[in-house]
Amino acid sequence: ATVYGLDNESPLREGMPTSATNPYGWSKVMNEQILTDYCGSDKNFSAVLLRYFNPIGAHPSGLIGENPCGIPNNIMPYITQVAVGKLPELHIFGQDYPTPDGTGVRDYIHVLDLGEGHVQALDYAFTHPGAIEINLGTSRGYSVLELVKEFEKASGVKIPYVIDPRRPGDVASVFADASRAENLLAWRARRNLAQMCRDSWNWQQKNPDGYAQ
């Protein structure tokens, strides 16, 4: 979803203009352009350009989860590492956004819903040549503090946090309009934020040092 840049307002729809603010984002924009152009030159080729939002959660078994190296760049492993005692506190960047509690709002999606979306996209691609962009999200945004509170409920662990200044390039609210995925792929996110938090905590509890152990 980084291809939507900073100028589009949520809910983000597939027909909106694309742009980027960093090399990572531009790599996504360029890949979409390459695949779209290729589909234009080969009428038998199919590409489903999945634009997904903020994957969190883990496999419910606790066997597969997110294991970043060093300080996590994503919020959920940061929260779980604070909860398990690996990090002292969560850093929240900005509490002066025009959102209900001032913290940034994002569309969090369970990794299992995301995986199912990929399977549905493959099924679609086999019978629909051409390129098409499809959002995978929940069509609902949650603030950082809402995520923290939901995790505390799921884990029973209090998450200490500090408020830092905004990061350059961050926007107040980013969430999907996922109606195209439901209409074309017969897909929608089925797992709620509570389950995302429970599964993330289950993984971290069972793997306090990640895969290093």
Side-chain angles (χ1 to χ4, degrees):
T2 187
V3 300
Y4 287 112
L6 301 179
D7 298 326
N8 294 308
E9 290 188 8
S10 293
L12 298 172
R13 299 177 179 86
E14 291 87 350
M16 290 177 168
T18 58
S19 63
T21 60
N22 54 47
Y24 171 80
W26 280 118
S27 74
K28 306 301 181 187
V29 173
M30 291 163 140
N31 273 312
E32 286 198 357
Q33 187 64 56
I34 290 167
L35 290 166
T36 299
D37 288 348
Y38 191 85
C39 287
S41 66
D42 182 348
K43 300 304 181 183
N44 295 315
F45 196 78
S46 177
V48 180
L49 310 174
L50 295 178
R51 297 173 175 174
Y52 44 89
F53 284 67
N54 294 73
I56 61 174
H59 194 275
S61 67
L63 296 174
I64 306 172
E66 190 171 2
N67 182 38
C69 298
I71 302 297
N73 288 320
N74 297 328
I75 189 168
M76 183 55 86
Y78 209 120
I79 291 173
T80 61
Q81 289 190 21
V82 170
V84 84
K86 289 187 70 176
L87 294 172
E89 60 195 6
L90 172 67
H91 289 262
I92 297 175
F93 297 98
Q95 198 179 8
D96 57 350
Y97 288 104
T99 61
D101 60 26
T103 63
V105 169
R106 298 293 182 268
D107 189 339
Y108 299 102
I109 177 175
H110 198 292
V111 291
L112 294 189
D113 282 324
L114 190 63
E116 291 168 3
H118 281 74
V119 173
Q120 295 296 97
L122 282 170
D123 288 342
Y124 181 89
F126 282 126
T127 56
H128 295 80
I132 189 167
E133 310 89 348
I134 297 181
N135 289 336
L136 294 184
T138 66
S139 299
R140 161 98 189 252
Y142 291 93
S143 74
V144 173
L145 288 179
E146 284 180 301
L147 178 62
V148 169
K149 291 174 184 175
E150 194 64 50
F151 182 85
E152 289 177 338
K153 286 168 55 179
S155 66
V157 178
K158 187 71 175 176
I159 303 298
Y161 64 84
V162 294
I163 303 296
D164 291 335
R166 295 187 189 188
R167 294 179 299 189
D170 278 354
V171 296
S173 182
V174 177
F175 60 94
D177 176 344
S179 58
R180 180 178 288 184
E182 186 163 7
N183 293 334
L184 298 185
L185 307 183
W187 175 94
R188 63 182 177 85
R190 298 185 294 111
R191 297 161 180 89
N192 60 23
L193 191 65
Q195 186 168 351
M196 300 179 212
C197 292
R198 286 196 303 270
D199 290 342
S200 294
W201 178 229
N202 182 44
W203 146 255
Q204 192 71 76
Q205 277 187 301
K206 291 180 176 177
N207 304 273
D209 296 315
Y211 292 118
Q213 59 187 352

